[in-house]
């Protein structure tokens, strides 16, 4: 579940969304600054009450095997 700013700040749409499903694309479906990544995960969310023509929200997360910037520790 997450809250958005679609309701008052943008579009007059819904405020609360719940997770519905996720899926992957091996070889990203989208690019960032023209670069395609190794894997892209989409999370799909449905609003508690659709409003303002907004029925879905989706988020894309990119993964790269050799091009990463996470700072990990052994803790």
């Amino acid at each position: 579940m997450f809250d958005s700013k679609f309701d008052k700040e943008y579009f007059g749409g819904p405020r609360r969304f719940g997770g519905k499903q996720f899926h992957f694309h091996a070889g990203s479906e989208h690019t960032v600054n023209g670069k395609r990544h190794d894997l892209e995960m989409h999370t799909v969310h449905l609003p508690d009450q659709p409003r303002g023509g907004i029925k879905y929200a989706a988020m894309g997360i990119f993964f790269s095997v050799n091009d990463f910037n996470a700072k990990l520790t052994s803790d």
Side-chain angles (χ1 to χ4, degrees), residues 2 5 10 15 20 28 35 43 56 58 60 70:
F2 75 89
K5 294 183 179 182
Y10 308 105
R15 179 169 182 83
K20 177 67 174 169
S28 62
K35 180 177 167 99
T43 60
Y56 302 94

Side-chain angles (χ1 to χ4, degrees), residues 22-25 28-29 39-43 59-63:
F22 63 93
H23 61 272
F24 296 90
H25 297 271
S28 62
E29 182 179 30
L39 185 73
E40 182 175 354
M41 179 176 76
H42 290 153
T43 60
M59 180 186 326
I61 302 167
F62 297 95
F63 299 87

